[in-house]
Amino acid sequence: LRRNNLKFKEINTRYFPRLGDSKLTGTKAAWNNFRFMLMYSPNFVFITPSILFILTSLLAIVYILTSATLGNISLIAATVVFIIGFQMFLFGIMLKNIIVKKDFDEKSLLSELGSRLNLGKGIFIGLSLFAISFITFFLIFLKWLKLGKQLSSTDIKFSILGFAILMMSLSIITYGFVNETLSE
């Protein structure tokens, strides 16, 4: 209404008891309204929590990498939170694009960024990240062979980070495919 400069006003309405059986229950109506609000609130449901997950996990990863007491299990937990946050962020951007295309929301920096990440760019960025993770794994593998199949804690930590980069690459490629499909 606001975008199209339409005016609205309240009109009093009288409700009468229903003569037949109602197909709508209070629970079902509440769920439908709540579901609609969630679907059209990507910032609240996905973007904001994902940014908190990403920032918190990045701080935790840096702290864990510089800590002498925290080990690989802590790093795995932090990278899992990072991957969840990253995927939530991509999904939130995708949902934001859908809402903009349905004309329920105005374009924003995030929706513009998301619409520009098409299949070609998604594959390029994803394969670049995949190459970084592959090189990381390959160097660690060579070191593993050289040292007689023993790795240091640092090598294992880099393997965990390589796994996170690999997951990011697959997420970005998948996003590019889905975004290209939605834009047609």
Side-chain angles (χ1 to χ4, degrees):
L1 294 172
R2 196 171 20 128
R3 241 190 325 234
N4 297 324
N5 294 322
L6 299 175
K7 295 181 181 181
F8 60 96
K9 67 179 184 175
E10 187 174 331
I11 299 174
N12 291 330
T13 308
R14 294 169 115 186
Y15 289 101
F16 297 98
R18 187 172 185 88
L19 299 176
D21 291 334
S22 176
K23 295 178 185 173
L24 189 63
T25 64
T27 307
K28 187 175 180 180
W31 169 246
N32 285 336
N33 287 326
F34 185 65
R35 186 175 57 91
F36 182 82
M37 288 187 290
L38 287 177
M39 286 174 39
Y40 290 95
S41 302
N43 288 346
F44 176 74
V45 177
F46 295 105
I47 303 292
T48 302
S50 71
I51 291 171
L52 291 174
F53 282 10
I54 290 169
L55 292 177
T56 304
S57 64
L58 284 175
L59 289 173
I61 288 169
V62 169
Y63 181 75
I64 293 164
L65 290 175
T66 59
S67 171
T69 58
L70 293 174
N72 297 330
I73 301 299
S74 302
L75 186 60
I76 289 170
T79 54
V80 166
V81 171
F82 175 81
I83 291 166
I84 290 170
F86 186 75
Q87 289 179 339
M88 283 176 63
F89 185 75
L90 289 177
F91 190 77
I93 292 174
M94 190 182 315
L95 187 57
K96 202 159 187 58
N97 284 340
I98 293 169
I99 292 169
V100 166
K101 286 178 185 172
K102 287 185 173 184
D103 207 28
F104 280 110
D105 198 2
E106 295 175 1
K107 281 192 171 190
S108 66
L109 179 63
L110 283 177
S111 64
E112 188 64 32
L113 172 72
S115 65
R116 290 182 184 217
L117 186 58
N118 58 18
L119 180 58
K121 290 177 186 170
I123 289 176
F124 176 76
I125 294 169
L127 288 179
S128 299
L129 289 172
F130 181 82
I132 291 169
S133 68
F134 181 80
I135 291 168
T136 302
F137 290 136
F138 185 71
L139 292 174
I140 291 170
F141 177 71
L142 290 178
K143 191 173 183 182
W144 178 74
L145 286 176
K146 184 179 177 183
L147 295 177
K149 301 183 177 36
Q150 291 181 354
L151 290 175
S152 68
S153 178
T154 304
D155 295 327
I156 294 171
K157 287 180 180 180
F158 277 107
S159 296
I160 295 167
L161 295 178
F163 174 73
I165 294 169
L166 175 67
M167 293 302 297
M168 285 174 56
S169 73
L170 296 174
S171 297
I172 291 173
I173 291 170
T174 304
Y175 177 87
F177 272 104
V178 173
N179 194 36
E180 188 87 12
T181 305
L182 291 174
S183 65
E184 290 182 2

